[in-house]
Structure formats: C-alpha cells, structure tokens
C-alpha cells in the first residue's frame, strides 16, 4: 500500500483545480486500497475506482484523454472508459465527490466576477468624484471672476457718470 501524496494550499502555484485534482487523487487512492483489501469487493472494483480517479484528475487539470473535457459525469465516465451507470449506480461516492469538487470550482467564479465589477465601480467612482471636485473649484473660481467683473463694471459706470464727457455708454436699441 502506498501513501497518497497531497499538495497543500501553501504550495506555490496551487490552483483550485489543482487542489481538486489532489483531493480526488487522495480519496480515489484510499477507496481503491480499501476495495483491494475488502473481502466482498472484486479486483475489478479497484481498477474501476482507479480509472475513475485518474479520469477525474485529468478533467480537473484540463487534460482529458477520451472525453470532451466538460466537468460532467458523462465526460468522467468517458474519460475512465466506463459506462455512465457505473458511476450513477455502483460508484456513487465517487460521483458525489466529483460533483462536490466541481461545485467548489464553480463557486469562486461568481465572487471573483463580483469583486472585479466592484473594483471597476470603485475606480469609476473615484474618477467621477475627482472630476466633481475639479468642477466645483472651477465653478467657484468663475463666480469670483464674475463678481470681480461686476464690481469693475460698476466702478467704470460710476466713474463715467461722474467724469468728463469723453466716455459714452453703449446702449442697446430695441429692434
């Protein structure tokens, strides 16, 4: 009996698919070993378990041999070279393990997409807030400029009204 080797999550480059493949390898090896020593199990059971385990690992790492590579029981059975009913009726524990591992692989995709969308929205919010602040400053500056121009205009009108007659106001004539 050989001990199954399992990489830990601390290993460099550990991916969810790699961890799923490692879990499948360990559990498949243990089930095959228990089938070998079981007095009621047939030798073919251990071979089937080993074939299913190897197919599971190949599917998780993305290197299928006989199937289309989808994470389905049909592809798993094709990859193992077995009929699908071997998984659905005889080796239901391996089928359930496969589905559980597939579920864990698919679950992180949604939060990752949500996180990317949240990051994008936060970035856009920061840009819009900065633009808003800039426009507020420009509006305040324009208000100050308009105020200064109004004061200067009033001073010019007062000076022109009280001063010598060489300064004339332009008035609009109605059309």
């Amino acid at each position: 009996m050989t001990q199954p080797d399992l990489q830990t999550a601390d290993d460099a480059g550990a991916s969810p698919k790699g961890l799923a493949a490692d879990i499948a390898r360990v559990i498949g090896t243990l089930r095959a070993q228990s089938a070998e020593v079981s007095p009621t199990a047939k030798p073919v059971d251990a071979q089937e378990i080993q074939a299913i385990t190897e197919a599971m690992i190949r599917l998780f790492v993305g290197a299928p041999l006989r199937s289309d590579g989808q994470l389905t029981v049909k592809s798993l059975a094709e990859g193992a070279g077995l009929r699908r009913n071997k998984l659905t009726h005889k080796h239901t524990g391996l089928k359930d393990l496969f589905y559980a591992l597939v579920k864990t692989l698919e679950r992180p995709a949604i939060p990752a997409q949500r996180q990317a969308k949240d990051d994008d929205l936060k970035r856009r919010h920061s840009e819009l807030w900065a633009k808003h602040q800039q426009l507020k400053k420009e509006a305040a500056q324009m208000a100050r400029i308009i105020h200064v121009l109004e004061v200067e205009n009033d001073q010019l009108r007062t000076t022109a009204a009280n001063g010598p007659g060489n300064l004339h106001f332009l008035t609009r004539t109605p059309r």
Side-chain angles (χ1 to χ4, degrees):
M1 259 188 226
T2 61
Q3 283 289 3
D5 58 342
L6 176 65
Q7 295 177 349
T8 62
D10 298 335
D11 291 345
S15 69
K17 285 189 173 191
L19 291 175
D22 287 341
I23 291 169
R25 178 183 301 117
V26 169
I27 293 175
T29 303
L30 292 174
R31 290 190 126 217
Q33 289 172 355
S34 67
E36 288 173 354
V37 296
S38 173
T40 59
K42 300 175 186 169
V44 106
D45 291 346
Q47 293 170 353
E48 288 175 352
I49 292 171
Q50 195 62 38
I52 293 168
T53 303
E54 290 170 0
M56 207 180 301
I57 292 167
R58 286 192 301 268
L59 282 174
F60 286 134
V61 297
L65 292 179
R66 302 181 196 111
S67 68
D68 56 5
Q70 295 181 2
L71 296 176
T72 61
V73 170
K74 179 183 175 190
S75 295
L76 179 61
E78 287 174 359
L82 301 171
R83 294 176 46 200
R84 189 171 44 193
N85 70 347
K86 291 285 186 179
L87 282 165
T88 57
H89 297 297
K90 187 174 182 182
H91 302 291
T92 56
L94 288 175
K95 174 192 65 131
D96 294 341
L97 171 68
F98 179 71
Y99 276 142
L101 292 173
V102 168
K103 196 174 201 177
T104 61
L105 290 176
E106 292 173 352
R107 191 173 303 145
I110 294 169
Q113 290 172 350
R114 233 181 249 149
Q115 183 65 37
K117 187 175 181 179
D118 287 350
D119 290 344
D120 184 47
L121 289 174
K122 285 177 184 176
R123 180 190 52 78
R124 286 188 58 215
H125 177 265
S126 297
E127 290 172 0
L128 290 173
W129 183 254
K131 182 71 172 173
H132 170 72
Q133 293 299 323
Q134 178 187 357
L135 291 174
K136 253 176 93 171
K137 286 179 185 177
E138 289 176 6
Q141 185 178 14
M142 291 296 211
R144 286 191 300 274
I145 290 171
I146 290 171
H147 179 68
V148 168
L149 289 174
E150 285 177 348
V151 169
E152 288 177 357
N153 189 19
D154 186 49
Q155 287 174 351
L156 285 173
R157 286 184 186 271
T158 306
T159 306
N162 296 335
N166 61 358
L167 203 61
H168 300 287
F169 289 109
L170 295 176
T171 58
R172 287 191 155 173
T173 56
R175 294 186 185 181

